[in-house]
Amino acid sequence: MGKYKVGYPCKCCGNYHDELPMSYGSPVPDYYEEIPFEEQERRIEMNEDVCIIDDEYFFIRGCIELPVIDGEGPFIWDVWVSLSETNFDKMMEYWEVEGREKELKPMFGWLQTSIPCYSETLNLKTMVHTRPIGLRPSIELEPTNHPLSLEQREGLGFKRIKQIAEDLCNVEEK
């Protein structure tokens, strides 16, 4: 198997970038975007790691890590997952507790981030794995034939990472 060039010519800016981005993310859960701007301050409570909408919908930010099969990795999708109120409260109870990763069992959640270079990703089933303080939870997708789930289990190569960079650039241009 040949090595791929790590850099790529960017179709957005026309420049050659020496390194491929190894992570992408969303600053808010998709549901956030449905709230009219003038209502957001009243209805949404959030920081960079958690989001509560209407005291009814509970989201946590985490990382889907994909192994890189032909180089250094992982490749990371920074995503939002919805949790039940009970699990969200439990996560908050242990938020600043040393050793929390040993105390909390994995929690079921629904993926709440659309990732444009895959078929529909909203509401994929996940398990949220708590990690040590300072690290966002690890998000494990249900093992299905969905392309994102397959890549989480089997990995992806630099050729695919380059394609993702190009696809996301084209989405931003629109």
Side-chain angles (χ1 to χ4, degrees):
M1 174 184 307
K3 292 234 180 228
Y4 294 102
K5 284 187 174 182
V6 177
Y8 70 105
C10 181
K11 292 178 183 173
C12 288
C13 67
N15 295 325
Y16 184 86
H17 297 284
D18 291 330
E19 295 183 19
L20 284 171
M22 293 300 286
S23 68
Y24 293 95
S26 176
V28 296
D30 277 27
Y31 186 60
Y32 182 104
E33 303 288 342
E34 295 179 22
I35 308 296
F37 179 76
E38 59 277 1
E39 296 177 20
Q40 289 178 357
E41 189 174 325
R42 177 176 53 83
R43 296 176 57 191
I44 300 171
E45 180 182 341
M46 96 173 275
N47 63 32
E48 63 183 25
D49 294 308
V50 298
C51 178
I52 302 169
I53 299 177
D54 296 329
D55 291 323
E56 186 177 351
Y57 304 100
F58 304 90
F59 306 92
I60 188 103
R61 198 172 192 174
C63 302
I64 298 174
E65 296 183 357
L66 310 178
V68 178
I69 56 178
D70 56 359
E72 301 273 330
F75 181 85
I76 300 170
W77 289 109
D78 185 19
V79 298
W80 291 88
V81 173
S82 63
L83 294 175
S84 69
E85 184 173 6
T86 300
N87 283 340
F88 183 85
D89 289 345
K90 191 177 293 186
M91 182 77 78
M92 293 301 94
E93 181 182 330
Y94 282 89
W95 195 253
E96 295 294 330
V97 175
E98 285 291 334
R100 66 186 185 175
E101 67 279 8
K102 294 176 186 99
E103 298 294 322
L104 292 175
K105 291 183 173 19
M107 300 175 187
F108 176 80
W110 298 97
L111 185 60
Q112 294 299 304
T113 301
S114 292
I115 302 175
C117 46
Y118 293 93
S119 58
E120 184 60 48
T121 58
L122 271 183
N123 295 317
L124 290 177
K125 294 178 182 179
T126 69
M127 293 302 288
V128 177
H129 298 267
T130 304
R131 297 196 287 189
I133 293 173
L135 294 177
R136 289 193 171 124
S138 173
I139 308 301
E140 176 188 12
L141 294 166
E142 176 184 43
T144 66
N145 286 330
H146 188 283
L148 182 57
S149 179
L150 288 171
E151 286 180 349
Q152 187 175 41
R153 291 192 314 277
E154 299 172 6
L156 74 171
F158 277 117
K159 186 175 183 180
R160 171 72 174 129
I161 295 170
K162 180 180 172 186
Q163 183 63 53
I164 289 170
E166 291 172 356
D167 289 350
L168 291 177
C169 175
N170 290 333
V171 167
E172 289 175 9
E173 284 183 334
K174 292 178 183 175

